[in-house]
Amino acid sequence: MPADPLHRAGKPQRSTTSLPPSGSGASAIEVRRSARRRRTVSAYREGDRTVVLIPARMSEAEEQRWVRVMLDKLAAQESKRVIGDVELAERAERLSAQYLEGRARPASVRWVTNQNTRWGSCTPSEASIRMSHRLQGMPEYVVDYVLLHELAHLLVPGHGAQFWRLLEAYPRTERARGYLEGVVAAARLPYRPVSGGE
């Protein structure tokens, strides 16, 4: 009887799982099974995807459950991490290279605390981008979307068809916009204190 390929030692077996990510910023999930791994499960971001490492003996149901757990764990870790202005500028450079052929070149990118009605703003004449501090703690894909949105304004000032075509390349545009719309909608909900008797 031939050996089960998932249990062979050596190179980890890979498969791609397409779950609806609950809090993850990754557009693709790659599961790597390893015969050496006995009990532990781990995950990390690798470029535009999430890699989840699991024991080879896990069932499909266990794999699905652990992928969800690890996506939630990564999202929680990322939401606690606050990046500074230098890292924000580096991210802008990477996003411009990846999605805008490096054509958007901001002179400055920084966090500001005086933007309470906008997520970001751009002054094309100065090539400056300002990001609202309210984005800090949101998922990375949301911050990246707002940053990319402002980078696109360095190339196209308005919100016409040409502007939105630039953002089509970013795979999480609709998801990030939905997240931000949800944040705005939640802020408008009336506050109802819970009484002790209910």
Side-chain angles (χ1 to χ4, degrees):
M1 178 151 97
D4 180 353
L6 291 179
H7 293 88
R8 263 189 233 137
K11 191 174 180 183
Q13 299 296 310
R14 298 176 187 213
S15 65
T16 301
T17 305
S18 54
L19 289 173
S22 56
S24 132
S27 59
I29 302 156
E30 181 180 320
V31 177
R32 295 181 187 169
R33 291 176 172 263
S34 170
R36 290 183 179 174
R37 191 174 282 270
R38 297 285 178 218
R39 285 179 284 203
T40 61
V41 176
S42 61
Y44 60 90
R45 303 282 192 219
E46 187 176 81
D48 203 27
R49 65 185 166 170
T50 301
V51 176
V52 181
L53 307 170
I54 65 171
R57 62 177 173 70
M58 259 190 197
S59 69
E60 287 294 318
E62 288 174 309
E63 174 183 316
Q64 297 289 321
R65 184 178 73 82
W66 275 107
V67 166
R68 284 189 184 93
V69 166
M70 298 313 288
L71 288 175
D72 289 344
K73 189 174 179 180
L74 280 174
Q77 288 170 350
E78 289 167 352
S79 70
K80 291 176 187 171
R81 191 172 152 257
V82 176
I83 64 170
D85 289 349
V86 171
E87 190 175 350
L88 193 62
E90 290 169 354
R91 275 171 88 168
E93 188 177 331
R94 282 195 306 272
L95 288 167
S96 177
Q98 186 173 1
Y99 297 106
L100 302 172
E101 300 170 348
R103 294 180 296 139
R105 295 186 184 101
S108 68
V109 182
R110 60 189 173 94
W111 295 109
V112 294
T113 57
N114 63 351
Q115 288 191 6
N116 294 315
T117 58
R118 294 193 229 182
W119 298 113
S121 63
C122 170
T123 306
S125 62
E126 298 172 2
S128 64
I129 292 174
R130 291 158 308 284
M131 301 280 284
S132 173
H133 72 287
R134 296 178 303 140
L135 289 163
Q136 293 175 334
M138 289 190 187
E140 284 188 8
Y141 73 94
V142 176
V143 176
D144 284 351
Y145 164 73
V146 175
L147 195 49
L148 191 58
H149 183 107
E150 301 309 329
L151 285 165
H153 278 310
L154 292 176
L155 305 174
V156 179
H159 287 104
Q162 184 184 3
F163 173 83
W164 291 111
R165 272 195 298 277
L166 290 174
L167 292 179
E168 284 176 357
Y170 186 62
R172 296 184 215 94
T173 292
E174 288 306 314
R175 188 166 167 228
R177 290 183 66 178
Y179 184 99
L180 293 171
E181 287 169 7
V183 169
V184 170
R188 291 182 185 143
L189 293 174
Y191 172 71
R192 288 190 184 154
V194 178
S195 66
E198 289 183 8

